[in-house]
Amino acid sequence: MILCCFFDPFADPGQAALPGGKADSAEETPFQTARREAFEEIGLANINQPLPSPFWVEHLCELPANLARTELVVRPCVALLHSYDEKTGLDADPEEALMSQLDAKEVAAVFSGPFHNFLVAKDEPRGEDDHDLPGIPTDWYNGSWTNWNATWWRMHHFFVPITNQKVTKPKQRDNDQATATTMAEDEESPLHSLERYRVFGMTARILVDAARVAYDQEPEFEHDRHFGDEDMIDRLKKLGRFSEVRKPTDELTKQMFEKAMKL
């Protein structure tokens, strides 16, 4: 699976889009997969399609792969979504100009959050809108250590305020969709008053790692020092894991990790 982080350095606050999916073929590169998924999920032009001025995407790097409990390997691709043209002075809002077509089967909402905040333990000052943030600054983050992958793994939980920013929702949904967005539109739903979106697990870890690289700065909170799970992935491959055909219930176990560590 490929997950692509698109960051707009000129947006206020900094935005990140993380669409992801599997490659269509062995020939499709990680960035081609990421861009195709971004097109299918959030309407961002595909890798061979032109973007409206002043937007353009700069592919930066691929981060080490991450391993999910369901034996899914995720390769993060990092890119810059430029929204400002220095020559013409033209500036634009990606949420208004680019994120207009959302796949209701896969996307409940698109919201923004300050990128640098994924390195800090509490909400940072954001200017005039600070008084609109729900709760207190320390509502931003909490984390804990869990035993995973034959080692200790940091579980991050970020709570991104949404009351001071736009939330883009799919324009069309089928009847089978069960998302927080659908529930939030019901004024009697407990989610109607939702003030923060939770970003956690592998997605949160990838955002932390991407921010570490982008800012050349370590987080204020405890975290995994290494990037990704490349070493364990290689060990599990030697045990014959990651076959093309597998059962949905065939998850990685503690015993498998212990065996892999002995290689």
Side-chain angles (χ1 to χ4, degrees):
M1 181 175 180
I2 311 297
L3 182 73
C4 196
C5 305
F6 292 100
F7 298 108
D8 177 10
F10 299 103
D12 185 19
Q15 301 172 56
L18 292 92
K22 296 180 180 179
D24 277 349
S25 67
E27 291 72 33
E28 190 173 49
T29 68
F31 265 112
Q32 287 174 333
T33 302
R35 291 294 302 275
R36 176 178 53 76
E37 288 291 332
F39 170 69
E40 294 173 359
E41 293 185 13
I42 61 176
L44 183 72
N46 207 337
I47 197 167
N48 295 319
Q49 297 174 333
L51 285 163
S53 181
F55 300 105
W56 65 283
V57 172
E58 179 182 2
H59 293 166
L60 298 180
C61 67
E62 298 177 17
L63 296 178
N66 289 261
L67 179 63
R69 195 177 298 274
T70 54
E71 204 170 282
L72 188 69
V73 175
V74 178
R75 171 73 65 187
C77 297
V78 182
L80 276 177
L81 173 60
H82 293 266
S83 62
Y84 174 71
D85 190 325
E86 294 183 356
K87 294 182 178 179
T88 64
L90 184 61
D91 197 1
D93 182 351
E95 290 186 68
E96 293 289 345
L98 292 179
M99 309 305 180
S100 57
Q101 293 181 314
L102 304 181
D103 187 338
K105 294 181 180 179
E106 300 186 48
V107 182
V110 173
F111 58 95
S112 62
F115 186 27
H116 187 265
N117 267 28
F118 291 98
L119 294 173
V120 299
K122 60 183 181 180
D123 281 320
E124 292 185 317
R126 305 177 200 177
E128 297 179 357
D129 294 331
D130 269 1
H131 62 280
D132 294 327
L133 294 180
I136 57 178
T138 52
D139 288 340
W140 166 256
Y141 173 82
N142 67 49
S144 60
W145 289 100
T146 182
N147 193 278
W148 155 248
N149 204 344
T151 185
W152 287 101
W153 197 88
R154 184 69 174 179
M155 173 65 78
H156 303 293
H157 297 265
F158 296 98
F159 298 88
V160 183
I162 62 173
T163 58
N164 68 327
Q165 57 194 263
K166 301 168 186 174
V167 178
T168 304
K169 294 181 266 188
K171 294 182 179 179
Q172 296 181 345
R173 294 187 300 274
D174 58 36
N175 293 329
D176 295 329
Q177 185 191 10
T179 66
T181 302
T182 305
M183 296 178 65
E185 287 181 345
D186 180 359
E187 292 188 2
E188 297 182 359
S189 166
L191 291 182
H192 181 69
S193 59
L194 187 67
E195 295 181 327
R196 292 175 180 256
Y197 278 116
R198 181 169 67 117
V199 178
F200 65 103
M202 183 182 294
T203 301
R205 181 182 178 182
I206 290 173
L207 281 170
V208 169
D209 285 347
R212 291 168 66 190
V213 174
Y215 292 100
D216 191 22
Q217 177 183 336
E218 292 301 301
E220 294 178 354
F221 41 78
E222 293 182 328
H223 62 284
D224 295 278
R225 297 289 179 178
H226 64 284
F227 290 84
D229 305 302
E230 296 276 2
D231 180 65
M232 179 55 71
I233 292 170
D234 289 339
R235 291 172 183 270
L236 290 170
K237 283 182 179 178
K238 293 177 182 179
L239 292 178
R241 307 300 302 183
F242 310 115
S243 61
E244 293 185 5
V245 180
R246 59 183 297 275
K247 298 178 181 179
T249 56
D250 189 15
E251 296 189 357
L252 296 170
T253 65
K254 179 180 178 181
Q255 291 73 24
M256 292 177 192
F257 284 129
E258 292 176 348
K259 186 176 181 179
M261 286 300 295
K262 295 178 181 179
L263 296 179

